Amino acid sequence: MNQNPSTSYWENIYTTKDTQKVGWYQPRPALTLSLIEELAIPRDSQIIDIGGGDSYLVDNLLADDYRNVTVLDISSKAIGKAQLRLGEKSKLADWIVSDVREFKPNRQYNLWHDRAAFHFLTADADISNYVETAKNGIVENGLMIIGTFSDKGPSTCSGLPVRQYSLEDLQKTFSPYFETVKKFNTDHITPSGQSQNYSFCIFRRK
């Protein structure tokens, strides 16, 4: 992959910032894990974490005996941090360094997870392409958990503009190929103590 401005931006973020101080940091992604438990996702499911980079979701999934976990991130530095943290256990996961705008899945997943990556796509063409990629990358009746800044959330993240979504906006964006299983708003408290309102939807692939 040729390094584009987005790639170099995120490589710099993960080179210069302490993971435990970035706004999206969660030592244990309790909400996502509770949703996976609620959805009764089987242990042999193919799971992909979009923008998962240095997130701790993969650590928790591997600890819970999920063995078909893929992490995709634009930043090789972010993935490198996660692999270093996991040590030998990192070999139990698949790792993809790619801008999601260029991602062409070579398999279909039972669960597609994206917390705080999708909202960085602000161009209509990139958003439409993401929806198509998700449709192609998820099995029929497969599930997607997606969380974005809500219409009451921040308009920027890590110095970049984001697109805010009400629950209705998020539903409408994915409605051509997905039906809504569940939707809700929730607040995330950042390490610096700020509250960020998120829109979360669980979708099922039609």
Side-chain angles (χ1 to χ4, degrees):
M1 181 181 69
N2 294 328
Q3 192 170 88
N4 59 35
S6 295
T7 305
S8 56
Y9 184 89
W10 287 108
E11 293 287 51
N12 182 61
I13 289 283
Y14 282 103
T15 300
T16 59
K17 294 201 177 223
D18 181 345
T19 298
Q20 297 185 10
K21 293 181 180 176
V22 295
W24 58 87
Y25 171 70
Q26 294 177 303
R28 185 177 186 275
L31 173 59
T32 295
L33 293 169
S34 69
L35 292 174
I36 288 173
E37 183 177 356
E38 180 183 324
L39 293 166
I41 304 296
R43 292 296 193 274
D44 61 350
S45 297
Q46 292 284 346
I47 299 172
I48 187 166
D49 188 16
I50 302 295
D54 198 21
S55 157
Y56 284 69
L57 179 59
V58 62
D59 307 55
N60 284 274
L61 291 176
L62 292 176
D64 286 343
D65 292 325
Y66 288 92
R67 286 293 178 266
N68 296 304
V69 181
T70 299
V71 179
L72 178 143
D73 202 276
I74 193 172
S75 170
S76 61
K77 299 282 188 187
I79 283 178
K81 282 187 173 186
Q83 291 173 326
L84 185 64
R85 184 179 69 239
L86 283 163
E88 281 296 307
K89 288 193 78 173
S90 68
K91 296 176 182 176
L92 299 174
D94 290 328
W95 305 89
I96 300 173
V97 178
S98 176
D99 186 329
V100 72
R101 293 172 295 185
E102 301 166 0
F103 178 46
K104 304 294 181 192
N106 62 7
R107 72 184 74 168
Q108 288 187 306
Y109 298 91
N110 304 102
L111 176 65
W112 177 291
H113 175 263
D114 180 332
R115 176 184 172 273
F118 176 63
H119 61 207
F120 283 107
L121 303 181
T122 56
D124 289 342
D126 290 338
I127 292 166
S128 297
N129 178 67
Y130 182 105
V131 175
E132 287 283 338
T133 301
K135 182 258 291 187
N136 294 332
I138 300 174
V139 299
E140 187 176 347
N141 293 319
L143 295 164
M144 173 164 59
I145 299 171
I146 189 157
T148 69
F149 282 168
S150 79
D151 51 332
K152 298 178 179 63
S155 58
T156 63
C157 183
S158 293
L160 293 176
V162 300
R163 183 173 287 205
Q164 299 156 299
Y165 289 87
S166 67
L167 292 172
E168 292 70 26
D169 290 337
L170 203 52
Q171 279 185 284
K172 184 177 179 182
T173 300
F174 287 90
S175 62
Y177 307 116
F178 296 88
E179 61 184 11
T180 305
V181 175
K182 183 175 183 173
K183 59 179 180 176
F184 59 93
N185 291 113
T186 187
D187 289 320
H188 166 66
I189 307 301
T190 71
S192 64
Q194 293 179 312
S195 178
Q196 298 175 334
N197 193 249
Y198 273 77
S199 289
F200 265 86
C201 282
I202 300 174
F203 296 112
R204 189 181 303 279
R205 164 91 150 74
K206 294 178 184 176

